[in-house]
Amino acid sequence: SNSNSNSSSANGNGNSITRRMVNQTFEVTVPPGVRPNQPFSLMAAGQRVLVTCPPNARSGTRIRFNLPVSMPGTGTGSDAAGGNSDSTTPSNTNSGVTLQYDTQDGWTRTIRVTDMKFAWVRLDNDGELATGDGKFHVDTSAYVRKIQFLEGNDKRMRTGKVTLVPASEYSVDSVIMKNPDDPVPHFSQRKEEDELIKSGEIAAVQKQSMDEKVEWLLKTCKKLAVPWEEGHMRICVRREHLLVDSIEAIMSLGRDDLRKIWRFEFMGEAGIDAGGLTKEWFLLVTAAIFDADSGLWLSSEGNQMLMRINPASQATCPEDHLVYFRFLGRVLGKTLFEGQIVSGHMVQYLYKYLLGWPVCFDDLESVDADLYQNLKKMLDIKPEEVEYMCLDFTAAQSMLGETVQVNLHPDGEDKTVTGENLHEYLEAYFKYLMMQRIQPQVTELLLGFYDVLPEPLLAVFDYQELELIMCGLPTIEMDDWIKNTIYTGTFAAAKERNTCVKWFWEIVRGEFDQQTRARLLQFVTGTSGVPSRGFSVLQGSDGIIKLFCLNGIDLKNGAYPRSHTCFNRLDLPIYKSKRELREKLTYAITNCSTGFTIE
């Protein structure tokens, strides 16, 4: 039977549009080369779908599948086109629809028809599903963190395991239950009355603007929140013992308490919290926990404004360092739940972990730029000469000033790196640096984060949007930005007098809004944050001042702008028109979220 539900959103004119979720039947021809039981990817109703070829079908066979889709309607019994069909039985439900294949390359999120879960797939240049050869490739392989939730001894919080799995093996539910603590049953066993957000709505919201997505998030969180009259939390803290008191209070709460309204009181101070004290608390407590002096976090080697987890945090807080990360996870989750902002920017791959986005080999550059470059250079060595480097499957780890050897593989010190197993070595090193050495801390951070929020709720955002939502839009002074920009390549001679440079700044200053400027800054420097003393103290990967750099390159070397975040450099092709520059720049900063370069 066809299921229907209604939801409302605003269009560009501010008018409310009622949207209906309906099951629609699609018909498609199995593409050439696809075998029985093999998955293939396609576009249906504007969303990426992963379909498995039935056992009795083959290339050329026409098959059908059902997919929940979001359809516009007036809510008065007619559809958006002005028809007179009943709103609960759309006229085109169960009609066959011919689908067009998308040829976009890179990792993209799909809805997997077999279980209606979100999954990641990578397409080749022909639009076919890229299956790979089972080996790790620095240019195409990607991993996603996977959370396995487990019930702990304390009913107030779950335990769990976090691991890195190949991106194609990760999936997350596409529905949200009215009780977010309830497990999501298989789609064939779901009851419509138990669902708050239905399959298809998340995919529809994902296409909207960031402001519209944030509005949807806050409205959904309000539905998940415990009403004031059913219970709320009053939390008293001492300003001089803010972090200790806050951790004791927040870690004593159950998961349902995290969705209640919080009101704060600073002991010994007059004042009623009408929202202002709550806002202050979020800013103060996150500033305290991100402080490098705490020993829990370190400034990133790539950007002093970005914070990364200290692998040796246990040495700083031997008994309870993981409690701080669980606490921070809960605070970050509550930040999104209530529309607050925090003090402190994290390295980009941690936002990817929060969202379940792919991390790739290039993310290593933000961890250790020199090591990243050295590992990539190994690919240029002739396979038969790799073992002459006398490397084994171990890594050197600096812990509190001492260098220790860590095995990347069981008996790693006895396993020599050769041309044949080089891909295995690079994969092991990648997984160690990105996850294994900070696995306990990341686990608690994610468990705390999802103590508050259901995981599918954030599938509408990319990791750049998440940073902007959590940290707020930065104040970007355009005069300061332009004044503290250097020019290289074909821009070196004329500098700001170059026509292409003039177009660039005219677009950024006169046409980009504050949000788009922030995304440009993210694209080039790795964060939307601006140093408190302005662009004149922008730092590079080595902690040395590296000003924002515009590097002119020939169009034949690349059609799209490319960024080098460790050097705060943007490679900008010499475009023939301002319109072309605007289109290519806008596309690059809004569509390169997965970390794969456009060529």
Side-chain angles (χ1 to χ4, degrees), residues 3 6 27 33 63 86 115 132 157 163 202 250 292 299 303 310 316 319 367 384-385 394 405 456 465 547:
S3 62
N6 295 331
E27 186 177 271
I63 62 173
D86 189 289
D115 56 8
M157 61 184 74
T163 55
I202 292 176
I250 303 307
S299 295
N303 189 317
N310 181 4
T316 305
E319 297 179 0
V367 178
E384 62 272 16
E385 296 178 359
T394 62
Q405 182 173 284
E465 291 172 329
L547 299 182

Side-chain angles (χ1 to χ4, degrees), residues 26-31 40 54 56-65 96-99:
F26 293 88
E27 186 177 271
V28 63
T29 301
V30 178
F40 60 96
N56 58 346
R58 58 182 55 84
S59 296
T61 305
R62 299 190 68 80
I63 62 173
R64 291 189 172 193
F65 63 89
V97 178
T98 302
L99 302 174

Side-chain angles (χ1 to χ4, degrees), residues 144-437:
V144 175
R145 61 96 186 118
K146 178 181 179 181
I147 309 174
Q148 180 185 1
F149 294 107
L150 302 170
E151 293 300 324
N153 296 327
D154 189 337
K155 293 184 178 180
R156 292 172 297 181
M157 61 184 74
R158 296 173 293 187
T159 62
K161 299 178 181 178
V162 173
T163 55
L164 281 182
V165 298
S168 58
E169 296 180 11
Y170 169 82
S171 65
V172 66
D173 293 306
S174 61
V175 302
I176 299 172
M177 310 302 289
K178 289 181 178 177
N179 182 355
D181 294 336
D182 289 344
V184 178
H186 188 270
F187 77 95
S188 62
Q189 301 173 337
R190 293 176 194 158
K191 297 180 180 179
E192 184 176 341
E193 60 269 21
D194 295 333
E195 298 177 1
L196 178 67
I197 302 297
K198 305 180 186 302
S199 292
E201 181 174 345
I202 292 176
V205 172
Q206 189 272 335
K207 304 170 191 172
Q208 299 177 353
S209 70
M210 192 178 99
D211 289 339
E212 290 172 320
K213 287 190 278 189
V214 172
E215 182 182 0
W216 174 85
L217 170 69
L218 294 177
K219 284 183 178 179
T220 305
C221 288
K222 191 172 183 179
K223 296 176 184 177
L224 292 169
V226 177
W228 175 274
E229 59 274 12
E230 293 183 16
H232 49 275
M233 309 301 300
R234 185 166 298 278
I235 301 171
C236 298
V237 294
R238 297 167 294 175
R239 193 176 289 271
E240 63 272 21
H241 301 289
L242 177 67
L243 200 52
V244 173
D245 289 356
S246 297
I247 290 176
E248 184 177 347
I250 303 307
M251 295 306 291
S252 68
L253 302 179
R255 289 166 60 201
D256 57 334
D257 296 326
L258 300 177
R259 292 189 288 273
K260 294 178 180 177
I261 297 173
W262 292 358
R263 288 293 180 260
F264 288 88
E265 177 182 333
F266 288 93
M267 296 176 64
E269 299 180 17
I272 298 175
D273 187 6
L277 293 181
T278 298
K279 179 179 179 181
E280 182 184 12
W281 180 85
F282 276 99
L283 291 171
L284 290 176
V285 79
T286 49
I289 205 165
F290 279 125
D291 189 341
D293 290 339
S294 71
L296 301 169
W297 294 79
L298 300 172
S299 295
S300 169
E301 295 180 8
N303 189 317
Q304 296 297 305
M305 290 188 60
L306 296 178
M307 304 307 294
R308 61 185 175 93
I309 293 174
N310 181 4
S313 61
Q314 184 176 8
T316 305
C317 307
E319 297 179 0
D320 57 0
H321 75 119
L322 294 181
V323 174
Y324 285 88
F325 289 97
R326 182 64 168 251
F327 165 75
L328 178 60
R330 287 184 161 199
V331 171
L332 296 180
K334 187 66 170 174
T335 296
L336 292 173
F337 197 82
E338 293 199 353
Q340 300 288 344
I341 59 175
V342 302
S343 296
H345 297 256
M346 299 183 294
V347 289
Q348 283 190 345
Y349 66 85
L350 289 179
Y351 293 108
K352 294 182 179 182
Y353 285 164
L354 290 178
L355 291 182
W357 270 62
V359 291
C360 57
F361 194 78
D362 284 346
D363 284 301
L364 276 184
E365 194 169 15
S366 65
V367 178
D368 190 323
D370 291 337
L371 180 58
Y372 163 77
Q373 292 294 342
N374 290 335
L375 290 174
K376 285 199 72 172
K377 288 177 181 177
M378 293 184 66
L379 296 171
D380 298 328
I381 302 174
K382 295 179 180 179
E384 62 272 16
E385 296 178 359
V386 170
E387 59 184 301
Y388 297 156
M389 299 184 67
C390 300
L391 294 175
D392 54 30
F393 276 68
T394 62
Q397 173 67 47
S398 178
M399 303 285 283
L400 298 177
E402 295 185 7
T403 300
V404 297
Q405 182 173 284
V406 179
N407 278 339
L408 302 176
H409 187 276
D411 300 321
E413 67 275 11
D414 298 324
K415 185 172 183 177
T416 302
V417 178
T418 65
E420 187 176 345
N421 63 22
L422 178 59
H423 67 279
E424 183 183 349
Y425 172 74
L426 294 175
E427 180 182 27
Y429 222 130
F430 167 78
K431 294 170 75 172
Y432 168 71
L433 291 175
M434 296 299 297
M435 176 61 78
Q436 291 169 3
R437 66 174 182 167

Side-chain angles (χ1 to χ4, degrees), residues 33-68:
V34 174
R35 300 181 299 276
N37 298 315
Q38 181 181 349
F40 60 96
S41 180
L42 45 83
M43 295 294 290
Q47 55 189 303
R48 173 68 57 185
V49 178
L50 191 65
V51 179
T52 300
C53 179
N56 58 346
R58 58 182 55 84
S59 296
T61 305
R62 299 190 68 80
I63 62 173
R64 291 189 172 193
F65 63 89
N66 291 325
L67 183 70

